[in-house]
């Protein structure tokens, strides 16, 4: 049976694109059955439309109560019934109900070598600026399983880049992002198709 994934994104969606590309070339054997976002007018939505992927914009402010928002979120996901949820630049807390129901089945990619430079407020250029300020000579990206605490779930894969003299947050971010695009689809493929038995 084809494995199903749902992607959550809030921004340009370049990681989402790398996942779409991998499903189209067959290096990632999965069907992307939806994009969930908390924002409209973002690149990720355009990418979904171009590839015939259905989009669900779910915003807490559109619901009267937090419980309504969480229930609606969970109901949508239950209908989509993904094997795995992929966070790709999703900048909103995942409702607890979703975390509970999909425990161990939500992955995120973070642009640093976790546990370094993770946690609340550590996203986008903040991460790369902190790396540059520290004088670290290595940075990279991490794929981890999502838990209730930001960026604290178990890391399952990393890739590295050198921090070069003269790097700015932008140049470092671009180098890390290139690694993200290669790493994330590979890890998703392995995670979805891992063997449960030792042979
Ligand atoms: C990436 O740097 C990723 O590590 C982080 O959010 C960013 C998303 O970028 N979680 P994009 O929208 O995939 O281009």
């Amino acid at each position: 049976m084809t494995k199903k994934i749902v992607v959550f994104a809030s921004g340009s969606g370049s990681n989402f694109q790398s996942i779409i590309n991998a499903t189209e070339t067959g290096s990632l054997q999965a069907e992307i059955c939806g994009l969930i976002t908390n924002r409209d007018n973002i690149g990720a939505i355009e990418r979904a439309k171009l590839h015939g992927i259905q989009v669900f914009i779910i915003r807490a402010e559109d619901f009267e109560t937090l419980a309504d928002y969480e229930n609606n979120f969970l109901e949508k996901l239950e209908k989509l019934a993904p094997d795995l949820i992929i966070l790709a630049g999703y900048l909103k807390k995942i409702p607890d109900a979703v975390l509970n129901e999909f425990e161990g089945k939500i992955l995120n990619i973070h642009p640093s070598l976790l546990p370094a430079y993770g946690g609340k407020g550590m996203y986008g250029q903040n991460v790369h600026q902190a790396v540059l300020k520290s004088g670290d000579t290595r940075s990279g990206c991490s794929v981890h399983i999502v838990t209730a605490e930001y960026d604290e779930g178990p890391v399952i894969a990393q890739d590295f880049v050198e921090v070069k003299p003269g790097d700015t947050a932008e140049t470092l971010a671009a180098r890390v992002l290139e690694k993200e695009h290669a790493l994330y689809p590979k890890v998703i493929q392995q995670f979805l198709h891992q063997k449960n038995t030792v042979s």
Side-chain angles (χ1 to χ4, degrees):
M1 267 247 291
T2 310
K3 299 279 187 186
K4 294 200 288 181
I5 61 178
V6 171
V7 178
F8 291 14
S10 306
S12 94
S14 69
N15 275 288
F16 177 39
Q17 187 68 53
S18 74
I19 294 163
I20 294 172
N21 295 348
T23 60
E24 292 183 352
T25 61
S27 60
L28 171 56
Q29 295 159 290
E31 179 203 343
I32 306 173
C33 55
L35 169 72
I36 288 184
T37 180
N38 59 321
R39 296 169 69 184
D40 47 22
N41 293 319
I42 54 167
I45 294 179
E46 293 312 310
R47 297 178 196 272
K49 285 185 181 157
L50 276 172
H51 293 269
I53 297 166
Q54 53 182 338
V55 176
F56 304 90
I57 302 174
I58 313 179
R59 286 181 295 221
E61 53 271 33
D62 294 338
F63 296 88
E64 275 189 19
T65 66
L66 186 64
D68 287 348
Y69 161 68
E70 295 210 3
N71 290 337
N72 181 282
F73 208 127
L74 190 59
E75 271 168 29
K76 288 234 165 64
L77 274 172
E78 281 172 344
K79 279 195 194 121
L80 293 167
D83 295 287
L84 194 59
I85 293 172
I86 302 299
L87 309 190
Y90 184 68
L91 296 175
K92 174 104 184 137
K93 198 176 171 303
I94 309 293
D96 288 341
V98 172
L99 281 175
N100 290 338
E101 178 129 351
F102 290 89
E103 197 185 345
K105 293 181 177 176
I106 310 177
L107 300 185
N108 182 42
I109 191 157
H110 185 80
S112 77
L113 297 175
L114 290 173
Y117 311 108
K120 210 168 175 16
M122 275 296 174
Y123 61 88
Q125 301 298 50
N126 297 354
V127 174
H128 305 293
Q129 266 152 8
V131 171
L132 290 174
K133 204 167 158 205
S134 74
D136 286 357
T137 53
R138 227 164 58 138
S139 188
C141 52
S142 309
V143 178
H144 68 95
I145 297 173
V146 173
T147 57
E149 305 306 321
Y150 276 111
D151 304 324
E152 284 190 8
V155 171
I156 56 172
Q158 291 185 316
D159 202 358
F160 307 90
V161 302
E162 236 185 278
V163 178
K164 295 185 178 165
D167 256 339
T168 62
E170 287 75 21
T171 59
L172 182 56
R175 205 162 331 108
V176 171
L177 199 55
E178 214 176 290
K179 293 286 184 184
E180 293 181 37
H181 295 161
L183 181 68
Y184 212 8
K186 242 192 268 172
V187 174
I188 297 166
Q189 168 72 8
Q190 280 165 8
F191 199 86
L192 277 175
H193 300 278
Q194 64 198 343
K195 291 198 184 109
N196 293 320
T197 52
V198 181
S199 54

